[in-house]
Amino acid sequence: MGLRLYVLMLILKGLQFQASSASHSFSIDYTDNSFLKDGVKFRYISGSIHYFRIPPAYWKDRLLKMYMSGLNAVQIYIPWNYHEPLPGVYNFAGDRDIEGFLDLVAQFGLLVILRPGPYICAEWEMVENEYGSYYACDYDYLRHLVAVFRAHLGDKVLLFTTDGTKESELRCGTLQGLYATVDFGLDENVTEAFEKQRIYEPRGPLVNSEYYTGWLDYWGEPHTTRSAEEVADGLEKMLELGANVNMYMFQGGTNFGYWSGADYNNGIYNPITTSYDYDAPLSEAGDPTDKLYAIRTVISKFQALPAGPMPPPTPKFAYGYVSLPQRVALLDVLGLLSPSLPFYSSFPLTFESLKQPNGFMLYRTLLPHDIQEPVLLNASENGVHDLAYILLNGVYKGTLERNKVNGINISGQLGDTLDMLVENMGHINFGANESDFKGQIWINGFNLGRFWPARGPQKTLFVPGSLLSGSSVNTIVVLELQDAPEKPRVLFLDRPLLNGTRSSTHKNKSKSNLRLAVSLLKSADVTPAKRKQNLLL
Ligand SMILES: *[C@@H]1O[C@H](CO)[C@@H](O)[C@H](O)[C@H]1NC(C)=O
Ligand SMILES: *[C@@H]1O[C@H](CO)[C@@H](O)[C@H](O)[C@H]1NC(C)=O
Ligand SMILES: *[C@@H]1O[C@H](CO)[C@@H](O)[C@H](O)[C@H]1NC(C)=O
Ligand SMILES: *[C@@H]1O[C@H](CO)[C@@H](O)[C@H](O)[C@H]1NC(C)=O
Ligand SMILES: *[C@@H]1O[C@H](CO)[C@@H](O)[C@H](O)[C@H]1NC(C)=O
Ligand SMILES: *[C@@H]1O[C@H](CO)[C@@H](O)[C@H](O)[C@H]1NC(C)=O
């Protein structure tokens, strides 16, 4: 599974990496099998939160709820492709303002377990998988990473690794001089899992760096949950042993835009849903769940909870049906969508060579001569990654799919326009294979992510209230790639539907109905902001 990672970690307050090292210290007491913080015995009870899966307007709210749950640390990953979309091009602003996020963490007096990558995984678009599970098993590479982090962070920070409990994972993921920790969930025996850590660290603190509070969902697969009681019981067992625990996830959040990744297990390609709710203690909308209260009760047996109440769930509002009055064919608005001129090339170019990391690319050519009898448009050897809609003079002819449909027959006249709209379905963590994704939705220009209700189990998309304006017109744009209805509309609900009916098979598309459409809404139908809701598609 893609969650056991090799990482380098450090624990320090806020962003004061170098500055704080003079006055603060964090080390290991091998005699007492514990951490020492500023020279005093210390144990962390931590939760994972991904700033890149939560709108910045809610960072503080989520951290407050984590603090009120009794945690004394948070664990965060840094996905490099989020901050460096193209080589040498960096973005640390707005929703990528990691320094701002760490400042908020520091305001609550929470410690940070920082996992700067590489090898974070987290079901994120294209991010490498855990190093101990990676075939290379290259200790020179690990030594190189250590040198890089030591150069940036100095020699005072504590670096450590985390891996699954399998022998090969620990053998390839650990390195002399880095503290080896393990990660495991409910399916593993706590005592036996920590015995695996003891093989590599006979003394020192016990650490479960990723204790799974829930699990992710795949399109077309059953919705996954973990019971609150079992998660709380497992946590209690570990804390009784004196272990340090990070709960993965404490809040999962959302794979907005094109950021959801895909796993590749036993030859099966499994793209991950837009929702990363994870059945975590804080829901996708950031609300405390029964699981959070069960965990909080366990924590209270081991350390004092902060005074004061847990903030209540945020308000939701079911706006009901909103119709989308303007409906345009995608091919009619290419100039609007892509204002820069088309790029001319003798041969099709990859997304990467055109510096477009994800999304859609339209390839267009004119037929060089009459084709009376149908001939094969051949994209064999998986020439199309991952999916391509084929149109001739704007009329849909069929879909090419990686590993599934490598060719379709077409005929036409000299000069006819042949279009191939290629969709990138998320770069893989593990492997890639198939898809029939249905489209994306933007609200006020923000991409809520991919929707695929025909496949399930996720039927709604999370709409953060911070996206909506109470004073100006809200704009909804729906890109519907299959069977766009004559009168499109969307339904706003006040609750998520994450466990809807599923279809694991590729549905036949009705060729005559298939249109590529962009629906634009410009109306004040969607009223006051500061509320969250879920969009039914
Ligand atoms: C876990 O493993 C230990 C040691 O093998 C064993 O004594 C214990 O019964 C196991 N616990 C459970 C719940 O299976
Ligand atoms: C992709 O899936 C197809 C079945 O849909 C299967 O035949 C093929 O082997 C898979 N490809 C890989 C690389 O696993
Ligand atoms: C499609 O193209 C590939 C690569 O050029 C070729 O090997 C294959 O035979 C072609 N298939 C057909 C049906 O023409
Ligand atoms: C294309 O047409 C040929 C000849 O009729 C046929 O043998 C072949 O199966 C067709 N291929 C596809 C992908 O429809
Ligand atoms: C999801 O729904 C199905 C069908 O109603 C049900 O059998 C299953 O238990 C549900 N799963 C979860 C995790 O709620
Ligand atoms: C899908 O189309 C294929 C080929 O036209 C047909 O054999 C199959 O029965 C169809 N499946 C469904 C579910 O309609």
Side-chain angles (χ1 to χ4, degrees), residues 290-513:
D290 290 349
K291 190 175 286 177
L292 178 139
Y293 288 106
I295 285 170
R296 188 168 169 253
T297 301
V298 168
I299 293 174
S300 72
K301 297 178 189 173
F302 297 88
Q303 58 191 40
L305 297 176
M310 177 66 66
T314 44
K316 314 288 183 307
F317 193 74
Y319 293 112
Y321 282 105
V322 171
S323 47
L324 305 168
Q326 284 175 266
R327 183 177 177 286
V328 292
L330 185 70
L331 298 182
D332 293 344
V333 290
L334 292 176
L336 190 74
L337 294 171
S338 187
S340 56
L341 285 171
F343 189 90
Y344 294 96
S345 166
S346 302
F347 297 98
L349 297 172
T350 61
F351 279 47
E352 288 75 14
S353 61
L354 289 171
K355 300 193 173 173
Q356 178 174 317
N358 47 37
F360 299 84
M361 184 92 74
L362 183 77
Y363 296 86
R364 169 171 288 181
T365 191
L366 305 180
L367 293 190
H369 51 76
D370 288 355
I371 302 170
Q372 310 287 2
E373 296 298 314
V375 299
L376 192 68
L377 176 69
N378 182 5
S380 63
E381 294 169 10
N382 296 316
V384 165
H385 294 191
D386 304 304
L387 193 90
Y389 300 91
I390 309 299
L391 300 97
L392 197 69
N393 288 339
V395 178
Y396 173 73
K397 295 291 175 188
T399 306
L400 300 179
E401 274 190 71
R402 183 177 187 166
N403 286 123
K404 278 193 145 183
V405 184
N406 280 322
I408 60 166
N409 285 321
I410 57 162
S411 56
Q413 312 295 318
L414 165 73
D416 281 355
T417 303
L418 178 71
D419 285 323
M420 296 178 65
L421 183 73
V422 176
E423 179 175 5
N424 150 248
M425 307 162 353
H427 289 83
I428 49 178
N429 320 325
F430 272 35
N433 210 325
E434 57 119 359
S435 161
D436 56 1
F437 288 128
K438 297 198 64 185
Q440 308 264 337
I441 293 194
W442 291 257
I443 291 196
N444 293 331
F446 182 88
N447 187 332
L448 292 179
R450 172 175 286 125
F451 61 91
W452 201 6
R455 182 136 309 187
Q458 178 177 2
K459 299 284 179 178
T460 56
L461 289 179
F462 172 58
V463 183
S466 61
L467 292 181
L468 299 177
S469 165
S471 52
S472 55
V473 168
N474 290 285
T475 304
I476 301 175
V477 175
V478 178
L479 173 63
E480 170 59 74
L481 293 169
Q482 299 170 17
D483 295 311
E486 276 317 318
K487 291 183 178 165
R489 57 183 190 167
V490 294
L491 175 60
F492 285 87
L493 302 174
D494 56 7
R495 62 190 188 287
L497 297 176
L498 298 180
N499 186 22
T501 51
R502 296 176 291 116
S503 161
S504 52
T505 54
H506 185 88
K507 286 217 168 114
N508 282 353
K509 295 170 202 86
S510 135
K511 288 190 182 182
S512 57
N513 284 341

